[in-house]
Structures are given as structure tokens and as C-alpha cells.
Amino acid sequence: MHTALTKALLMGALGGVLLSSCGEVDDTKTTAETATAPAKPAAATTKPDAAAPIQANIFLELSGGMRGFMPANTTATEPTAFQQRVSLLASRTNSSPAVADTKFWLSLNKAPQASTYAHFREVVQGDTHEAALGTELPTMLENILALPQGADKVNVIISDFIYGPKNQATSALMNVNITDALAPVTKKGLAVAVLGETSKFYGTYHPAVKTPLKQRPLKGETLPYYIWVIGPPAAVARYVNEVLPAASAATQQAYFGLTFPRVPYAAVLTQVPAGSPLAPGGDGSISYGGAGVSTNLEVDDVKKGVEFTVALDLRQLPAAWREPAFLAQHLQAQVPNGRVQLLPTSIKSTTGVPELQAYTHTLRLRLSDFPKAGGQLSLTLPAPGMPAWVAQRSTENDNQPTAAPHTYRLTEIMNGVRGAFPQALPPVFTTTFALAQ
């Protein structure tokens, strides 16, 4: 089978020619023909293991301070954004084929109390008469994660996460207390996702800072709340991608401990002839021998540099990490004792390209210096640092709500989450290619 120029034109927006599954492209031709080349053994296709069904626990903090997110509605009123999102979250989790079993819980001022789905839904829709005094944040996390098999499940926690301990002196150790609460499960290699949301609030607001007022009546002001997802990395990512209602443009996101050991990829586009209108410049070529994932690339004549495109399947990653702008900022390409560069603006979505439906992204690399004895090309996405929105939402005084959503000392809370993980987080993923001339 040969790769025709018509396919090259189809793939022009991605910068090259799609390799056939039965052979390889001869880059020396400047015409529409491609020379027949001996077929190389096809690389073994790496398919992700069948995803195990998710076991989920859904926890709603039912304290007096949360009731304002869940007012009793009538036919003349609309549900709050909180009620809409949490109701949909509960419904999707309860009905999703990806979730084998879901248990619903109400977090009160003691151990979490089991609830039925129907009762959980009634509470969210405004039946909050059971509301009790709030539990201090570290204690709430400890009680939730201490449940039987808690470390094996996806634990979804919905709360305003206002940390207002009775003993104000403990506020100075807020980050340490959060780290201690999470340490037993993060030692087991779990991941934490934090989604920051906002909603109108109708009721009594209980700030962490009690002066000048211990509580304030609010009538529709906007307050922040959070959805935490804690569990095994693959299950957390799958829950966020497949079950949790899609995040809005205003949703803030942070992830800790997400790693993916296997990311399918292939070097699918070769250097095109210098005379072709598709040619990006540079001499030489890189090719591989067939279907699916390629781990061995043959390199010819890179004295002047060679450019080629890699396809990646990143659908396991959270949506925010699949954005081309995010990948362009964080993705790293390396060749020990060589030189490789990720070309600017080259990361693109494969949406609408049938030939690449097994992948989600393509990116263009330029190899300009090649180790004489051969080497290894790696693509790595390091674990991102603390996102900027955390500091922007953090405040030392939450007594009076403002137009911009703020949470008392959110930076310390999130630093406590980060502190539960190793100082050097492993990369989100690494893919490697063996290079040979």
C-alpha cells in the first residue's frame, strides 16, 4: 500500500503525510508517487487495560453554613447553581455505566451518615432540616477517608471548605493539619482533584473570621464552594472525564498525584519532500513500520535537521490538561546528547481527522542533533505546580463576602494538600522512542 499525495493534502493542516499501515513513505520523491519500501515489522499496539468499574462515595457536608446553597425552591424560584450542579453530579454518578456502585453520605458533626440516593437528592433540593454544626475540615477528611475500603474508591466531597477551628491557634498549622489528614491515603499513591465553583447563597453565612459579625444573612450573594475527588489516579481521572458534569469556563481546577503509566502514541507523519508545498524545511526523514504504537524510529541524514509529527492519545488526562496551550507551555522533549525542539504552535487536536481517530493530539518535533550511537527521544509532561487561581481566591479575612469569590486561607489549605505528596512529584506521563540510524 502507498501513501498518496491526496492523503498528504488531507493531513496538510497537521504538517505532513500520514504513514500507511503496510509500508512507509519515501521522502526523496517530489512527485505524487511514493516508492515501495520493504515492510518493517509492525510495532506492537499498546492498548490500555480495560478500565475497572468505579466504586464511588459521594459526601455532602450538611452544616448550617452550607444550607444557603440549598434553599427550598418553589415553582416561582430557580435552583441555585450549587443545586443544579450537585444534583446532576449525583444523578450521573448514580446512573453512569462507568460506576459499578455508588454510596451517598451526609457529613455532619460526627462520622459520615449513610444516605439513600433519593434522600441525598431531597437534601440538595432544600430539605436541610438535619443540618448540624460543621466539622473541622481535617476531621471531616479523616472521617471520610477512614471508611472501609476508602482508599480503593473514588471519594467525592462537596463543601465550602471553610476552615474555622474552635481553637483559633490551630489556624497557624492549617497546612500541616490538612497534610496529616491526607497522608494515610496519599502514601498509597492516591490522587486529589480540586474543582472550585461558585453559587448564589440564600441564608446564614458563617465566616471563619468572626469579627465584626459571627454570621451574616445573605440574599443571593455569590460564594465559592469546592468539589474534591480523592482516589486511585486512573479512577479519579476517569470519574472527572466521564462522570462528573462538564466543568464550565468559570470552574477552577487543580490536580495532585495524577500519573498515567501508558499513553498510546505513534510517529505518524514523516518529513515531506523539499519541493512539496507541505514541506516545513529541513532534510532527512524519520519513519516507522506500521500500525499502532511506534517505539523504534529510523533516522536518516539529520545534518540539517529533520521534522516529524508525533500523535498522542491523551484522553485520560483532565480536560484542562488537554488544552493545546497548556501542553505547549508544559510538555518537554529531550534527546540525551542530542537536540530536539517542540515547534511553536504545533500542538493540534486530531478532531475531524478520521485517520487519527485513535489519538487526540499531534505535535511537531525538530531533531537537529542526533547522538552517534543512537539514543532515546522522550516526551514528558511534568506535574504542574500550584495553579494561580488558588492565591487569587485566598483571603485572610472572609467576614464580608465580596464580588470576587474568596475562601479563608485557601492557599494554606491547598499547600496542605500538596504537602501530603512527595516533594518531587512524578511526571504526569512520559513516552519514549528508541532512535537508530
Side-chain angles (χ1 to χ4, degrees):
M1 183 184 295
H2 303 296
T3 304
L5 185 59
T6 54
K7 184 172 286 186
L9 293 172
L10 174 65
M11 297 302 299
L14 297 176
V17 182
L18 181 64
L19 284 181
S20 130
S21 63
C22 300
E24 56 186 316
V25 172
D26 181 350
D27 299 323
T28 62
K29 298 290 184 180
T30 58
T31 67
E33 293 186 12
T34 57
T36 303
K40 296 182 176 66
T45 301
T46 300
K47 294 182 179 180
D49 295 334
I54 295 171
Q55 307 284 330
N57 286 324
I58 311 297
F59 301 89
L60 172 65
E61 184 193 352
L62 186 55
S63 64
M66 290 287 292
R67 295 179 69 179
F69 288 118
M70 300 173 283
N73 287 290
T74 68
T75 55
T77 61
E78 291 187 0
T80 64
F82 179 97
Q83 289 173 307
Q84 294 180 56
R85 183 154 178 77
V86 175
S87 293
L88 187 56
L89 179 156
S91 175
R92 287 176 62 99
T93 307
N94 189 59
S95 62
S96 173
V99 181
D101 180 63
T102 305
K103 289 184 169 54
F104 294 90
W105 305 81
L106 301 176
S107 291
L108 303 169
N109 60 346
K110 46 187 176 181
Q113 295 184 10
S115 171
T116 64
Y117 168 62
H119 180 54
F120 185 95
R121 186 176 57 186
E122 289 171 355
V123 171
V124 174
Q125 293 172 350
D127 184 4
T128 58
H129 71 277
E130 299 172 80
L133 292 174
T135 307
E136 292 184 13
L137 177 53
T139 303
M140 181 175 69
L141 292 172
E142 289 171 352
N143 290 342
I144 287 172
L145 298 173
L147 290 174
Q149 299 180 322
D152 300 324
K153 298 183 178 182
V154 169
N155 300 285
V156 183
I157 308 168
I158 305 155
S159 169
D160 58 11
F161 284 100
I162 294 177
Y163 190 170
K166 294 179 182 179
N167 180 1
Q168 293 295 308
T170 63
S171 293
L173 297 174
M174 185 182 299
N175 60 328
V176 174
N177 294 334
I178 298 296
T179 296
D180 289 346
L182 292 175
V185 291
T186 53
K187 285 181 178 179
K188 297 180 180 179
L190 302 190
V192 178
V194 178
L195 307 181
E197 306 283 4
T198 59
S199 175
K200 289 184 178 180
F201 187 97
Y202 299 89
T204 303
Y205 170 58
H206 297 267
V209 177
K210 303 301 182 184
T211 56
L213 296 176
K214 290 185 178 180
Q215 57 190 41
R216 291 178 178 271
L218 300 182
K219 299 181 179 180
E221 287 85 344
T222 296
L223 290 182
Y225 70 96
Y226 300 88
I227 300 172
W228 287 26
V229 185
I230 305 174
V236 167
R238 189 179 182 203
Y239 182 85
V240 170
N241 286 332
E242 298 183 28
V243 183
L244 191 68
S248 71
T251 299
Q252 306 292 355
Q253 302 175 55
Y255 300 91
F256 305 88
L258 279 186
T259 59
F260 302 92
R262 288 200 286 179
V263 172
Y265 59 91
V268 295
L269 307 177
T270 69
Q271 177 71 43
V272 296
S276 167
L278 303 179
D283 296 325
S285 66
I286 288 187
S287 60
Y288 82 106
V293 173
S294 171
T295 56
N296 294 285
L297 303 179
E298 291 194 358
V299 183
D300 295 320
D301 190 9
V302 294
K303 293 180 180 178
K304 295 183 180 180
V306 58
E307 295 177 4
F308 64 103
T309 299
V310 170
L312 299 173
D313 179 7
L314 303 181
R315 70 193 75 220
Q316 300 173 79
L317 274 61
W321 287 3
R322 298 196 302 266
E323 290 294 330
F326 175 88
L327 293 168
Q329 181 181 357
H330 294 92
L331 197 62
Q332 298 177 357
Q334 292 181 324
V335 174
N337 301 315
R339 186 178 304 143
V340 66
Q341 176 188 6
L342 175 63
L343 297 184
T345 68
S346 73
I347 300 179
K348 302 180 185 298
S349 168
T350 62
T351 302
V353 183
E355 290 84 355
L356 294 178
Q357 62 182 343
Y359 304 96
T360 60
H361 296 77
T362 60
L363 54 92
R364 193 82 177 164
L365 297 170
R366 177 176 177 81
L367 184 64
S368 55
D369 190 7
F370 184 75
K372 294 181 180 179
Q376 188 176 78
L377 183 153
S378 65
L379 292 171
T380 301
L381 179 62
M386 190 73 70
W389 67 266
V390 172
Q392 294 165 0
R393 272 202 181 192
S394 187
T395 182
E396 292 292 325
N397 188 348
D398 67 339
N399 191 263
Q400 176 62 60
T402 62
H406 288 104
T407 297
Y408 178 61
R409 297 184 69 176
L410 181 63
T411 297
E412 282 83 350
I413 292 174
M414 296 292 280
N415 283 340
V417 177
R418 176 63 183 87
F421 292 87
Q423 184 174 0
L425 286 172
V428 177
F429 71 82
T430 297
T431 64
T432 59
F433 299 85
L435 301 175
Q437 285 186 305

mmCIF file of all heavy atoms in Angstrom, residues 74 204 209 330 375:
data_model
loop_
_atom_site.group_PDB
_atom_site.id
_atom_site.type_symbol
_atom_site.label_atom_id
_atom_site.label_comp_id
_atom_site.label_asym_id
_atom_site.label_seq_id
_atom_site.Cartn_x
_atom_site.Cartn_y
_atom_site.Cartn_z
ATOM 1 N N THR A 74 -39.520 26.791 45.041
ATOM 2 C CA THR A 74 -40.924 26.693 44.657
ATOM 3 C C THR A 74 -41.012 26.798 43.140
ATOM 4 O O THR A 74 -40.001 26.965 42.458
ATOM 5 C CB THR A 74 -41.749 27.817 45.307
ATOM 6 O OG1 THR A 74 -41.364 29.077 44.721
ATOM 7 C CG2 THR A 74 -41.527 27.865 46.809
ATOM 8 N N THR A 204 -27.877 31.954 56.099
ATOM 9 C CA THR A 204 -26.918 32.474 57.076
ATOM 10 C C THR A 204 -25.509 32.040 56.715
ATOM 11 O O THR A 204 -25.218 30.840 56.616
ATOM 12 C CB THR A 204 -27.265 31.975 58.487
ATOM 13 O OG1 THR A 204 -28.605 32.376 58.809
ATOM 14 C CG2 THR A 204 -26.314 32.581 59.508
ATOM 15 N N VAL A 209 -13.542 34.034 59.915
ATOM 16 C CA VAL A 209 -13.181 35.199 60.727
ATOM 17 C C VAL A 209 -14.468 35.742 61.349
ATOM 18 O O VAL A 209 -15.384 36.156 60.626
ATOM 19 C CB VAL A 209 -12.484 36.271 59.876
ATOM 20 C CG1 VAL A 209 -12.183 37.512 60.709
ATOM 21 C CG2 VAL A 209 -11.198 35.709 59.271
ATOM 22 N N HIS A 330 3.871 23.279 28.934
ATOM 23 C CA HIS A 330 4.452 22.348 29.901
ATOM 24 C C HIS A 330 5.164 21.142 29.296
ATOM 25 O O HIS A 330 6.057 20.573 29.937
ATOM 26 C CB HIS A 330 3.360 21.848 30.850
ATOM 27 C CG HIS A 330 2.776 22.899 31.743
ATOM 28 N ND1 HIS A 330 1.660 23.626 31.419
ATOM 29 C CD2 HIS A 330 3.186 23.373 32.953
ATOM 30 C CE1 HIS A 330 1.387 24.475 32.389
ATOM 31 N NE2 HIS A 330 2.289 24.340 33.327
ATOM 32 N N GLY A 375 20.049 6.751 20.378
ATOM 33 C CA GLY A 375 19.592 7.337 21.634
ATOM 34 C C GLY A 375 18.106 7.180 21.821
ATOM 35 O O GLY A 375 17.445 6.409 21.128
#
